[in-house]
């Protein structure tokens, strides 16, 4: 965690906050994550054969993810070496690359569209917008459930879309960042418990849980700080209290931390029973004493807390770099 790395990260956070993921750019140039997905799909098609026994599929999944992580880290090392040749320009270029793998503005924009969809198009408008950010069946959601889904996605993706990539870049530079993004992409593609991926994606899912563990815990401190800025001392305390008390109610070992913190910050019930692909997932409500009915105004409040948390993180990174 060098001073240069932290200064680059601080600049990258500013770039991502201002620019985000411009549609005009990614409509013309493939996003780097697309190449990660193609690499995972390539190995999946060749190694994950249905005629193999479960142990063989698990072994192949382990080999695949370790190989892809090694290639990603190696490529990150090469990029960093290349950027150092260009001096101050290389500093800026690396900051731009790091910003590409962060998701502050793009996440907030997607979630804000859910509130806009509800206000302009009613329930159907909200369902259409929320279908772009969550995997659950939007037709099963009423208006409060649409709002809860948007807020849950905001909190969960703050951890693995902002805090985690920033953390791994701070710890291990571009090799750490690219390896993390490869792992996170693999988890989203093959880390679920379907018959096809239960064994082949086992290593990707477990390693992703491990890689996201530090960021999930850090995220509750940042969400609490964001709540302090925008909602006051009581909301900040509630964010920490609910996160420490209710994080284990979520089926994910990591997602429960930021979701519970956001639930406390907004005084809302989150999570609970929901439907994915026609299958009901029964979970208790996080922050059961909180308000049961979420509204589009709560989405706005969640985005304010989210941006407050992002600001605190950027300020903290810069402060540590300047010490």
């Amino acid at each position: 965690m060098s001073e240069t790395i932290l200064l680059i990260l601080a600049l990258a956070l500013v770039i991502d906050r201002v620019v985000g993921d411009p549609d005009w750019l990614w409509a013309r140039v493939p996003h780097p994550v697309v190449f990660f997905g193609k690499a995972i799909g390539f190995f999946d098609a060749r190694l994950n054969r249905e005629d193999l026994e479960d142990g063989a599929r698990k072994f192949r999944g382990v080999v695949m993810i370790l190989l892809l992580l090694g290639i990603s880290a190696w490529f990150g090392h090469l990029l960093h070496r290349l950027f150092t040749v260009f001096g101050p320009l290389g500093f800026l270029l690396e900051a731009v690359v790091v910003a590409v793998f962060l998701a502050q503005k793009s996440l907030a924009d997607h979630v804000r569209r859910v509130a806009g969809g509800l206000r302009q198009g009613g329930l159907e408008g909200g369902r259409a917008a929320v279908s772009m950010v969550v995997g659950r069946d939007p037709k099963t959601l009423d208006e409060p459930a649409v709002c809860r889904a948007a807020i849950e996605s905001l909190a969960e993706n703050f951890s693995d879309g902002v805090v985690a990539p920033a953390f791994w870049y701070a710890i291990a530079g571009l090799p750490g960042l690219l390896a993390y993004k490869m792992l996170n992409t693999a988890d989203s593609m093959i880390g679920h418990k379907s018959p096809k991926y239960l064994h082949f994606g086992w290593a990707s899912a477990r390693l992703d849980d491990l890689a996201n563990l530090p960021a999930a815990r850090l995220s509750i401190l940042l969400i609490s700080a964001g709540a302090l800025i925008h909602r006051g001392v009581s909301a900040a305390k509630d964010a920490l209290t609910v996160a420490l008390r209710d994080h284990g109610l979520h089926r994910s070992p990591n997602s429960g931390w930021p979701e519970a913190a956001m639930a406390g910050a907004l005084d809302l019930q989150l999570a609970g029973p929901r439907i994915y692909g026609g299958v009901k997932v029964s979970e208790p409500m996080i922050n059961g004493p909180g308000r049961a009915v979420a509204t589009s105004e709560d989405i706005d409040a969640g985005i304010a807390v989210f941006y407050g948390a992002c600001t605190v993180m950027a300020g903290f990174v810069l402060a540590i770099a300047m010490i």
Side-chain angles (χ1 to χ4, degrees), residues 133-209:
V133 296
V134 299
R136 67 197 71 174
D137 185 353
K139 294 180 180 178
T140 66
L141 304 178
D142 58 14
E143 185 167 330
V146 167
C147 295
R148 288 199 306 272
I151 294 166
E152 290 162 16
S153 178
L154 178 70
E156 179 180 353
N157 286 290
F158 171 61
S159 177
D160 61 20
V162 180
V163 182
F167 174 84
W168 285 110
Y169 178 73
I171 294 295
L174 280 181
L177 174 61
L178 267 60
Y180 171 77
K181 292 303 294 186
M182 175 63 81
L183 178 60
N184 195 239
T185 306
D187 178 61
S188 67
M189 291 179 63
I190 65 172
H192 38 89
K193 295 182 179 180
S194 65
K196 182 177 181 180
Y197 294 118
L198 178 62
H199 300 285
F200 186 72
W202 172 83
S204 296
R206 298 292 76 77
L207 287 173
D208 186 71
D209 287 343

Side-chain angles (χ1 to χ4, degrees), residues 29-167:
V29 179
H31 194 283
V33 172
V34 172
F35 296 105
F36 292 170
K38 288 183 180 296
I40 295 162
F42 174 86
F43 285 105
D44 179 26
R46 287 156 179 80
L47 298 179
N48 189 19
R49 300 205 324 258
E50 293 184 5
D51 61 328
L52 294 172
E53 294 183 356
D54 294 343
R57 295 174 87 168
K58 180 178 284 191
F59 176 75
R60 288 180 174 216
V62 171
V63 171
M64 183 204 76
I65 193 60
L66 292 179
L67 177 62
L68 289 175
L69 291 179
I71 292 172
S72 301
W74 172 77
F75 187 69
H77 173 71
L78 288 184
L79 271 181
H80 177 70
R81 290 284 299 273
L82 176 64
F83 291 148
T84 56
V85 173
F86 294 99
L89 177 59
F91 183 99
L92 176 60
L93 289 173
E94 184 158 334
V96 170
V97 169
V98 175
V100 165
F101 292 102
L102 300 171
Q104 296 170 101
K105 187 176 185 297
S106 61
L107 176 56
D109 287 347
H110 277 93
V111 173
R112 186 178 285 111
R113 290 188 189 110
V114 178
L118 287 168
R119 289 166 182 151
Q120 297 170 18
L123 179 57
E124 290 306 314
R127 285 173 171 173
V130 84
S131 69
M132 304 301 292
V133 296
V134 299
R136 67 197 71 174
D137 185 353
K139 294 180 180 178
T140 66
L141 304 178
D142 58 14
E143 185 167 330
V146 167
C147 295
R148 288 199 306 272
I151 294 166
E152 290 162 16
S153 178
L154 178 70
E156 179 180 353
N157 286 290
F158 171 61
S159 177
D160 61 20
V162 180
V163 182
F167 174 84

